Amino acid sequence: MVGNSTRAVIIGNRRITGLTAGVIAELVEEIGPLWHERHQARLAARPRQRAVGAGAKYRLVFVDRLLATLVHLRHGVTHDVLACWFGADRSTVTRAIGEVRPLLAERGCTVSPDVRLRSLAEVVDHLGASGATGIVDGTEIRVRRPAAGRKDRDKFISGKNKQNAVKSMVVTDGEGRVLWCSPARPASCADITHARQLGLVNLLADGPAVEILADGGYQGLGAQTGGRVVTPPHRKFKKNAPDWYEEMHERQRKAHSSRRIRVEHGIAHLKNWRALARHLGRREHMSDTVQAIAGLLSHQQTADLNPTWQM
C-alpha cells in the first residue's frame, strides 16, 4: 500500500487523476459503502471454513483501489506499473480495477448536484424538461484485433477508419457537456443503426418535443422522429448546381456545423482519458470503461461550474 504522503500527492494533483480532491472525496463517500457491501456479499456467497472477516486483511485499502482505477483510466497505466507504485501484486491491482470500474460506470452522468442521467430515456426527458438542445455523435475507440478463427472477427472492423474498433454514441448538451455515453459495440455498425438499436427513434417519437443535432451519419432520423433530429440539409443538385444554390447550401451547412461542433469538443474531453485513446485490454470491459469515464468527466465538469457545491 502507498504511504499517506504519496496518497496525498495523488489526490491533490489534478493532473494525475483528472479530478479535484473534492470530487475524489465524494467518490470515496459514495462508492466505498457499495464496494464494501458487494465485497461482503461475495464472501458470504460461498461455503467457508473461516468466518467472514477472518484471515489476512487487504493491504490495498479501498481508497487506494479507487485511486489505482482513476490513474489507470486517466493515463492508461498498465497494471504492472500500478502494482509497483501501490506496493501490491499485479493480480491485486487487476482485481481492484475490475471491482471499482463497474461501480463508477453505474453512477451515470452528473448534470447538476441533484440530477444524474443513467439512460437515454432519462436524457431525453431531461432535455425536454430543460428546453435545452442535445447533440449526438458516434465515436470509435481502437481495440485489439480478435483472435484468428473467431467467427465475429470482422465485426470490429470500422468501415470509416478500416481499423479494429468499438463504437459508442455520445450525447452532449449545446455547451458540449457530456450527458450520456452508450455501451460500446463493434464498430462495423453504422451510426444511424446504432441510434435505432438504442431506441432513440421511439423515445423521440413518443417523448417530449426536443431538438437533437446530428451529422450526416444520422440522415433520415428527422423524418422518423417528426423533425426532432436535425441533420445537415440535403443536396438537391448533384450536378450543374446554380451558383445561388451552392452559396445557400454552403451557408446552411456551415451554420449547422457551427452548432453541432460542441459534441466534438465533448468527445475530445473524453479522449483525453488515455483509456479511450486506444484500449489494449479486454474488449468486454469497454462499455464499463466508456461509461465510467463519462460519469467522472461530467461530475468534474459540474463541480467546476458549481464551485460552492463542495464547500
Side-chain angles (χ1 to χ4, degrees), residues 26 30 107 109-116 177 298-299 301-303 305-310:
E26 291 182 356
E30 176 185 349
R107 296 177 65 248
C109 291
T110 305
V111 296
S112 67
D114 56 347
V115 177
R116 291 253 181 95
R177 293 178 55 202
S298 64
H299 193 157
Q301 289 176 334
T302 303
L305 292 174
N306 299 273
T308 60
W309 175 17
Q310 299 172 10

Side-chain angles (χ1 to χ4, degrees), residues 10-305:
I10 298 174
I11 295 175
N13 193 334
R14 183 169 176 174
R15 291 179 297 178
I16 297 179
T17 62
L19 306 174
T20 58
V23 171
I24 295 177
E26 291 182 356
L27 292 176
V28 173
E29 182 179 357
E30 176 185 349
I31 298 179
L34 295 177
W35 175 84
H36 181 74
E37 180 182 345
R38 294 191 182 185
H39 175 62
Q40 294 299 316
R42 282 195 301 269
L43 293 179
R46 56 184 173 85
R48 301 178 57 88
Q49 295 182 353
R50 291 181 176 181
V52 174
K57 306 303 179 185
Y58 274 157
R59 295 184 60 193
L60 199 64
V61 297
F62 171 74
V63 175
D64 294 340
R65 291 169 178 265
L66 174 63
L67 293 178
T69 304
L70 295 178
V71 174
H72 170 69
L73 294 175
R74 179 64 176 175
H75 297 287
V77 180
T78 64
H79 296 184
D80 286 321
V81 173
L82 290 173
C84 295
W85 195 5
F86 285 86
D89 190 77
R90 181 185 183 277
S91 61
T92 301
V93 173
T94 300
R95 183 169 58 251
I97 294 175
E99 293 171 352
V100 175
R101 181 172 48 206
L103 296 175
L104 294 174
E106 293 169 5
R107 296 177 65 248
C109 291
T110 305
V111 296
S112 67
D114 56 347
V115 177
R116 291 253 181 95
L117 305 178
R118 296 181 174 87
S119 67
L120 187 57
E122 293 180 359
V123 173
V124 173
D125 291 339
H126 168 73
L127 293 175
S130 63
T133 296
I135 314 175
V136 301
D137 198 8
T139 183
E140 294 183 355
I141 305 159
R142 290 183 61 187
V143 296
R144 294 189 300 177
R145 189 177 187 184
R150 285 191 55 172
K151 61 180 181 180
D152 58 348
R153 193 183 193 195
D154 294 339
K155 290 175 60 178
F156 291 91
I157 299 179
S158 167
K160 179 170 61 176
N161 295 325
K162 311 302 181 184
Q163 295 174 340
N164 292 273
V166 295
K167 174 177 294 185
S168 178
M169 190 178 80
V170 180
V171 184
T172 70
D173 61 12
E175 301 300 322
R177 293 178 55 202
V178 177
L179 301 180
W180 184 71
C181 283
S182 73
R185 61 161 302 142
S188 60
C189 179
D191 288 348
I192 190 171
T193 303
H194 192 195
R196 288 168 176 159
Q197 292 175 348
L198 291 171
L200 181 62
V201 174
N202 294 332
L203 290 173
L204 293 178
D206 301 332
V210 299
E211 181 184 45
I212 304 291
L213 303 180
D215 63 10
Y218 298 90
Q219 203 84 274
L221 288 187
Q224 298 177 355
T225 59
R228 289 175 170 84
V229 176
V230 181
T231 55
H234 286 280
R235 186 177 181 84
K236 298 181 179 180
F237 293 90
K238 293 184 178 180
K239 295 181 179 179
N240 302 322
D243 293 339
W244 63 267
Y245 178 80
E246 290 285 0
E247 294 177 1
M248 181 188 68
H249 182 268
E250 184 67 12
R251 185 169 58 253
Q252 292 174 344
R253 187 188 65 81
K254 286 186 176 180
H256 179 83
S257 178
S258 65
R259 295 184 64 199
R260 198 196 64 83
I261 194 62
R262 294 302 181 92
V263 71
E264 305 292 351
H265 300 164
I267 292 174
H269 288 304
L270 288 171
K271 294 294 184 73
N272 283 337
W273 293 67
R274 299 298 296 174
L276 297 185
R278 181 177 181 182
H279 186 71
L280 299 178
R282 293 179 178 271
R283 293 179 299 275
E284 294 79 6
H285 297 157
M286 276 308 304
S287 292
D288 283 345
T289 299
V290 172
Q291 294 183 312
I293 291 176
L296 294 171
L297 175 61
S298 64
H299 193 157
Q300 185 60 62
Q301 289 176 334
T302 303
D304 291 339
L305 292 174

